[in-house]
Amino acid sequence: MTVRTRIAPSPTGDPHVGTAYVALFNYCFARQHGGSFVLRIEDTDSARSTAASEAMILDALRWLGLAWDEGPDIGGARGPYRQSERAEIYRAHAEQLLAQGDAFRCFATPEELETMRREQVARGETPRYDGRGLRLSAAEAEARAGRGEPHVIRMKVPGEGVCRISDRLRGEIDIPWAQVDMQVLLKADGMPTYHLANVVDDHLMGITHVIRGEEWINSAPKHQLLYRYFGWTMPELCHLPLLRNPDQSKLSKRKNPTSINYYRAMGYLPEALLNYLGRMGWSMPDEAEKFSLAEMLAHFDLDKVRLGGPVFDIGKLDWLNGRWIREDLDERAFADRVAEWAFNRQRLEPVVPLIKERIEKFTEIVPLAGFLFSGLPAHDEDAFVHRKLDKEDCVRILQFVSWRLDALDDWHRDRLFAAVEALAEPLGYKLRDLTAPLYVAIAGSPSAPPLFDAMALLGPDLVRARLRHALVHLGGPSKKQTKQWQKEFAALDPGPWPSVGGK
Ligand code: GLU
């Protein structure tokens, strides 16, 4: 058997370190067995998927040096590798299940399903789909579908008993069928859900080992059942432990930066980040802390992955990155890498318009624009307090701006300006006052080059991290304030931006 593994990111946001971690283990396993590593883009959620996110994910994985053998950018024998280009394949498979009697059409409207859920909750039951679509005869369902009535296709699920799935690291796991929903396979718009597309593609793309995060364990019964309905052999499953924050909670961007772009912008070396991810749940036989991708490949053993939640600790990553810089970069390589990181024409030229009119000598460049090339500024708390704003005002402003910018994906100067300006009136500040704490949070001082241009140049990762850093520094909002402000924020006219409330 030729091993084939895959990473299947959904392009709905920033390239996540968790994606790189799972990609790394899939990559090592495939390479080690002389197999192939496939990159597939799972973009069936058309409302949330973007081409920009896909491009960033590919770019981030490439930067890390995790090369794939087949993918949307390079093609391959089993493409297309973007699910949005495979709609017909999923539809045909959903219809096959309908014809076999393993799936059914459901015409319930979203409102009807909402009422059903509310009634279940009122009766003290766990809300779940009650199988109402099954009461329709096949002939009637076909007739209604023929008339073009909107509906979804759901899979049938056994009403009782236990589903036993097998996981390479965990052994057998029993999940009662009562906990498994009659999953929607094909949505009313004709697009598949994750479950159908994922199973069909893993099969058609010849994937032999599904190595993914443990958050997908609960999906495995549905997947196993789909393999059975189709009469296909299921790939071996291996669920990797989830990365955690130092407080053991699931790694989340509220507590730690999770975007690979952040680590890249902060000046980490890709080999150090990859090395650190390789230590998440796995270690070298000699427990060496520093190792290259080639060394990891030579010793990797999927069966030795430990299940305890590996902690992604930035302090440890810093230490490791320092070692890589000191031990592996000679002067030439160091200079090359720094130039590649930020000191190159491409990065410097856009800075020129921000500083040219403000300096008389080149020696003023670093004091004025150094913040564009630094990490998180050391703040002086007093610097935030402005003639018209006390500390609470500053926290409130930074929090609202932070929420507003979380939802902004087009990081253009004018969009940034419009997003922040739109907050001034509802929050009751003049724009001039509102931007004062932003200058301090982002540029480290109240006098700096134009704020919005600087934010555009710094990019979303560093700006968001600096806002979060300033909020933490100022003691952040209390729980009560957060609740109250979230309500206020949700009530704001979202303008051309999606509201962050539901995120
Ligand atoms: N699209 C899923 C994700 O975003 C893939 C999960 C899987 O590997 O099956 O993680």
Side-chain angles (χ1 to χ4, degrees):
M1 172 181 71
T2 311
V3 166
R4 287 175 61 85
T5 65
R6 60 16 171 221
I7 183 77
S10 300
T12 54
D14 294 332
H16 199 281
V17 285
T19 303
Y21 156 67
V22 174
L24 170 63
F25 283 43
N26 273 283
Y27 173 90
C28 286
F29 189 76
R31 284 281 171 281
Q32 206 181 31
H33 290 87
S36 303
F37 170 54
V38 176
L39 173 79
R40 178 173 76 230
I41 292 292
E42 300 209 326
D43 58 349
T44 55
D45 182 346
S46 47
R48 293 179 60 224
S49 300
T50 65
S53 166
E54 177 187 313
M56 283 197 295
I57 293 171
L58 266 61
D59 187 43
L61 293 176
R62 253 187 236 120
W63 174 69
L64 285 168
L66 295 173
W68 47 96
D69 305 301
E70 296 165 34
D73 54 334
I74 50 175
R78 316 239 187 165
Y81 295 91
R82 209 177 269 120
Q83 290 188 328
S84 56
E85 293 164 19
R86 301 170 62 84
E88 275 318 306
I89 301 177
Y90 310 124
R91 181 193 291 280
H93 282 86
E95 270 161 19
Q96 179 190 334
L97 295 184
L98 268 183
Q100 288 172 199
D102 294 322
F104 59 96
R105 298 187 198 269
C106 175
F107 296 83
T109 61
E111 296 74 37
E112 197 183 328
L113 294 175
E114 190 42 45
T115 311
M116 171 195 82
R117 272 186 218 109
R118 246 186 282 119
E119 287 168 2
Q120 289 170 332
V121 172
R123 287 196 299 271
E125 298 165 15
T126 318
R128 68 194 301 251
Y129 179 73
D130 62 2
R132 57 186 58 206
L134 284 167
R135 284 177 226 134
L136 223 57
S137 73
E140 195 179 337
E142 286 318 303
R144 287 174 68 175
R147 290 198 294 270
E149 252 188 71
H151 65 282
V152 301
I153 296 180
R154 288 178 183 265
M155 70 189 283
K156 287 191 186 165
V157 171
E160 51 193 32
V162 167
C163 173
R164 171 161 295 180
I165 57 159
S166 175
D167 178 89
R168 181 159 177 146
L169 295 172
R170 294 168 174 77
E172 290 182 335
I173 306 172
D174 287 340
I175 301 180
W177 282 118
Q179 284 176 17
V180 181
D181 227 3
M182 293 182 211
Q183 178 65 47
V184 173
L185 299 176
L186 211 62
K187 295 179 275 190
D189 63 2
M191 283 302 268
T193 56
Y194 154 73
H195 304 276
L196 176 67
N198 188 271
V199 164
V200 166
D201 285 350
D202 279 346
H203 175 73
L204 295 180
M205 294 181 183
I207 301 303
T208 56
H209 296 77
V210 167
I211 306 169
R212 62 183 170 197
E214 72 182 312
E215 70 268 37
W216 301 102
I217 290 183
N218 286 335
S219 301
K222 293 172 192 167
H223 297 184
Q224 182 165 293
L225 192 56
L226 286 172
Y227 280 98
R228 211 174 73 210
Y229 287 159
F230 286 120
W232 298 335
T233 311
M234 187 171 187
E236 188 172 338
L237 294 183
C238 178
H239 291 93
L240 298 175
L242 277 185
L243 303 186
R244 307 205 165 256
N245 294 309
D247 67 4
Q248 296 293 330
S249 56
K250 179 179 160 200
L251 191 68
S252 71
K253 64 176 174 195
R254 306 237 174 274
K255 298 203 174 145
N256 252 326
T258 53
S259 165
I260 300 169
N261 291 344
Y262 170 81
Y263 294 93
R264 188 171 177 178
M266 281 295 279
Y268 290 89
L269 299 177
E271 48 272 58
L273 182 55
L274 214 49
N275 177 176
Y276 191 56
L277 291 172
R279 298 192 47 214
M280 298 288 105
W282 185 77
S283 32
M284 288 289 267
D286 63 356
E287 302 283 324
E289 292 176 290
K290 179 165 169 274
F291 49 85
S292 66
L293 181 58
E295 287 164 324
M296 178 165 176
L297 262 179
H299 297 280
F300 184 63
D301 184 350
L302 187 58
D303 296 311
K304 294 250 161 68
V305 170
R306 291 179 304 273
L307 292 178
V311 171
F312 189 88
D313 179 339
I314 295 186
K316 294 223 173 92
L317 173 62
D318 285 350
W319 169 82
L320 195 58
N321 200 57
R323 276 192 64 186
W324 274 95
I325 289 181
R326 287 189 302 278
E327 297 168 18
D328 289 76
L329 301 182
D330 60 19
E331 279 159 32
R332 231 195 135 83
F334 184 98
D336 285 346
R337 300 295 285 272
V338 172
E340 207 179 287
W341 168 64
F343 293 117
N344 54 56
R345 291 198 82 90
Q346 207 194 341
R347 275 291 304 279
L348 290 177
E349 274 177 18
V351 176
V352 176
L354 270 67
I355 54 176
K356 204 171 124 190
E357 304 301 322
R358 294 178 174 75
I359 62 164
E360 288 166 335
K361 304 180 279 308
F362 290 158
T363 40
E364 289 158 42
I365 296 173
V366 169
L368 186 67
F371 75 97
L372 292 172
F373 302 91
S374 358
L376 305 176
H379 296 301
D380 172 1
E381 199 169 302
D382 295 337
F384 282 98
V385 183
H386 170 75
R387 50 199 168 88
K388 297 222 178 91
L389 308 171
D390 62 16
K391 192 166 138 184
E392 184 177 328
D393 288 313
C394 292
V395 172
R396 183 161 173 254
I397 290 171
L398 292 170
Q399 183 60 76
F400 274 74
V401 170
S402 180
W403 283 332
R404 181 58 116 185
L405 298 189
D406 270 347
L408 188 71
D409 45 21
D410 178 2
W411 206 258
H412 183 274
R413 184 228 172 264
D414 297 339
R415 301 274 290 171
L416 285 159
F417 175 77
V420 172
E421 189 195 30
L423 287 174
E425 203 199 295
L427 291 186
Y429 302 105
K430 288 216 176 73
L431 184 62
R432 206 181 39 226
D433 296 326
L434 182 93
T435 52
L438 292 182
Y439 268 100
V440 181
I442 286 158
S445 102
S447 54
L451 180 67
F452 296 100
D453 298 272
M455 283 163 74
L457 283 181
L458 277 164
D461 300 288
L462 287 183
V463 168
R464 287 178 188 142
R466 286 184 193 182
L467 290 172
R468 224 182 357 252
H469 177 70
L471 276 165
V472 170
H473 184 85
L474 288 171
S478 66
K479 278 209 172 113
K480 203 171 136 201
Q481 273 171 332
T482 307
K483 269 204 169 148
Q484 169 65 28
W485 292 351
Q486 263 167 344
K487 266 193 224 141
E488 279 176 41
F489 185 81
L492 290 179
D493 171 11
W497 306 280
S499 133
V500 189
K503 262 186 125 180

